[in-house]
Amino acid sequence: EREDGQSFTLRPLTDETTCSDEQLSALIAGSWLWELDATQSIFFDFTCNGIVLIDDQQSEAFAADYSFADGIITILLGDQPLVFENVTVADDAMNVLFNGIDFAMRNALYVAPSTEE
C-alpha cells in the first residue's frame, strides 16, 4: 500500500524481455540495505514497474513510485523526492551519491559464490 492508500498487487513477470536492461535487472534482483548510522537502516525493494517497497524497520513498510534513468533513481515521497545520483548496481552492492555524499547499499539477498571446488 502506498502512502496515499493506493494498493498494489505484485505478480511475477511473464515476459522475459521486460526489465531486460542490465542495471534495472540488477536493481530489481536485490533488497538494498541503506545503513545511515548504527540506529537507522532502510530496505529498498524495487519492482520492474516503477514501484519501490520501503521498510525503515521503525514503522510499517510502504510503497512509492520511482524512476531509474541515466544513473539516477528518483523516489517520489510526497512533496520531496528522494534522489540518488551516480547509481551503479552490482550483484553485492549499489553505490549512490545522496546530497553530495557517497553511500554503498548492501544487497541483503546476495550470497557470495563459494570458492570450494
Side-chain angles (χ1 to χ4, degrees):
E1 188 171 291
R2 199 166 58 186
E3 287 182 315
D4 64 5
Q6 181 178 355
S7 294
F8 298 93
T9 301
L10 303 178
R11 294 182 181 89
L13 295 175
T14 55
D15 180 0
E16 292 181 15
T17 61
T18 303
C19 292
S20 59
D21 172 86
E22 186 177 329
Q23 287 285 290
L24 184 55
S25 292
L27 182 70
I28 65 173
S31 181
W32 305 100
L33 177 59
W34 187 20
E35 296 175 301
L36 298 165
D37 58 37
T39 62
Q40 193 173 17
S41 300
I42 303 170
F43 281 95
F44 295 93
D45 290 293
F46 295 89
T47 68
C48 184
N49 61 352
I51 304 296
V52 59
L53 306 174
I54 302 171
D55 184 357
D56 66 5
Q57 303 191 359
Q58 296 176 9
S59 55
E60 183 140 351
F62 63 94
D65 296 308
Y66 83 94
S67 63
F68 182 32
D70 300 322
I72 299 172
I73 295 174
T74 303
I75 300 173
L76 303 177
L77 297 173
D79 295 336
Q80 185 65 34
L82 181 65
V83 179
F84 297 117
E85 299 175 296
N86 298 342
V87 176
T88 56
V89 184
D91 291 338
D92 62 337
M94 173 171 49
N95 294 304
V96 303
L97 182 67
F98 177 71
N99 285 343
I101 302 170
D102 288 313
F103 288 94
M105 293 186 199
R106 182 175 56 87
N107 181 354
L109 301 178
Y110 179 74
V111 177
S114 175
T115 56
E116 296 177 12
E117 293 184 27

